[in-house]
Amino acid sequence: MLTPFAELLAGRDDGAVGAFTCYDLEAAVAVLDAAATRGSGVILLIGGKVFAGERGPLLLAAMVAVAERSDARACVQLDHCQDLGAIAAALEQGAGAVMADGSELPFEQNIAFVHRAVELARACGAGVECELGGIRGDEDVARAVAAGALTDPGQADALMERSGADCLAVSIGNVHGTYRDPPRLDWERLAAIRACVEQPLSLHGASGLPEPMIERALEAGIAKVNINTELRRAYLVATSAALPHVLDGADITALHDAQIRALREVAVDKLGALEGALR
Ligand code: 13P
């Protein structure tokens, strides 16, 4: 059932809500099924570049329709978007949240951009996440990258205060895709951000982070964790393993079933890890 972004993030003192990137209906079905099985709330992400493509608005509408019909409490979020027109379009299609990513803009422009996104979102009852610092790495193609600019705690406070956003994506050594070096998160920085910012914090780039590191991040106050690459890999491995068996009968249903099983397994695992002390 569709659930407000703020409600999914609230009361996550000892756990976090999982946010999973979906590229098709199979992914949305699998993630929602995993969340319903675990009794967890969940966020379905549609990437900014995917939404900007020809089929993006259709996929978003389909994700909202599947979330609406699910027993799991769910919200669909447009992820990493730098374009107010696309943010308005996603909200119109039923997105319950957007990530207004102004992290590459000069600080004051980032605030103004996020503030405008908040105005658009509020008119639809939707939530807004923003970013400060630079979480490096391509969001759709895994390449090994090193961490980008880290989030400044004082600026984070000002960004949240002046923009009115609901959630802040922190850059504390996390990257999208593949970690070039063994991941190291800046715990002191996270504690300083937590001390300054009262709104929920999100951790992007969770693929490739060992479970104890994710647990520590939850203890340090992370309320939302974004996962993509590990799902994509599971989907592709399952597709490749299923192909020899389904080609003979040209059985697309069996292929989709294999993809859903693989995605569901990863999502169930991750949701379990995000339960934190509640486990
Ligand atoms: P990963 O692909 O590294 O899991 O990152 C996902 C993400 O942060 C989406 O915003």
Side-chain angles (χ1 to χ4, degrees):
M1 71 211 75
L2 290 177
T3 305
F5 185 64
E7 198 177 310
L8 290 172
L9 292 174
R12 305 300 317 193
D13 287 346
D14 44 8
V17 63
F20 300 90
T21 309
C22 300
Y23 291 86
D24 56 22
L25 212 53
E26 284 65 39
V29 166
V31 169
L32 287 163
D33 195 18
T37 304
R38 289 210 63 96
S40 315
V42 76
I43 294 170
L44 303 182
L45 301 172
I46 175 166
K49 279 178 253 167
V50 170
F51 183 68
E54 210 177 319
R55 297 178 301 280
L58 281 176
L59 175 59
L60 173 54
M63 287 163 66
V64 171
V66 189
E68 221 162 21
R69 287 163 175 75
S70 167
D71 287 337
R73 292 173 303 117
C75 172
V76 178
Q77 180 181 23
L78 172 65
D79 202 15
H80 292 284
C81 185
Q82 291 84 22
D83 173 8
L84 285 170
I87 285 175
L91 291 168
E92 204 172 302
Q93 293 287 334
V98 295
M99 187 200 179
D101 181 359
S103 60
E104 288 185 8
L105 297 171
F107 184 56
E108 287 296 326
Q109 286 178 38
N110 188 1
I111 296 176
F113 169 69
V114 177
H115 184 254
R116 185 70 194 112
V118 169
E119 287 176 340
L120 293 171
R122 289 297 176 259
C124 310
V128 176
E129 178 178 353
C130 59
E131 176 177 329
L132 185 66
I135 305 168
R136 290 189 62 213
D138 191 284
E139 286 131 38
D140 302 301
V141 182
R143 297 192 185 92
V145 288
L150 303 180
T151 303
D152 177 272
Q155 282 197 331
D157 178 38
L159 170 62
M160 297 307 285
E161 189 77 13
R162 290 172 56 198
S163 69
D166 306 284
C167 176
L168 173 72
V170 295
S171 175
I172 53 167
N174 46 317
V175 302
H176 293 118
T178 309
Y179 285 80
R180 193 192 66 185
D181 312 305
R184 284 186 51 210
L185 300 185
D186 185 339
W187 302 112
E188 276 174 27
R189 185 174 296 272
L190 179 56
I193 300 166
R194 182 67 291 171
C196 291
V197 172
E198 65 185 47
Q199 291 82 357
L201 304 177
S202 67
L203 181 69
H204 285 230
S207 296
L209 291 183
E211 205 169 311
M213 212 175 247
I214 292 185
E215 272 175 23
R216 188 165 172 191
L218 305 190
E219 282 161 21
I222 290 291
K224 171 179 183 268
V225 174
N226 281 24
I227 301 136
N228 182 355
T229 304
E230 285 188 37
L231 288 173
R232 293 205 311 277
R233 284 198 199 289
Y235 180 101
L236 292 173
V237 168
T239 302
S240 153
L243 277 176
H245 309 287
V246 302
L247 266 175
D248 249 6
D251 187 349
I252 295 211
T253 307
L255 175 66
H256 286 169
D257 287 347
Q259 292 165 335
I260 289 173
R261 272 196 304 277
L263 290 168
R264 191 178 170 284
E265 200 175 308
V266 176
V268 165
D269 256 26
K270 293 289 173 191
L271 288 169
L274 298 183
E275 292 293 316
L278 295 175
R279 253 183 303 170

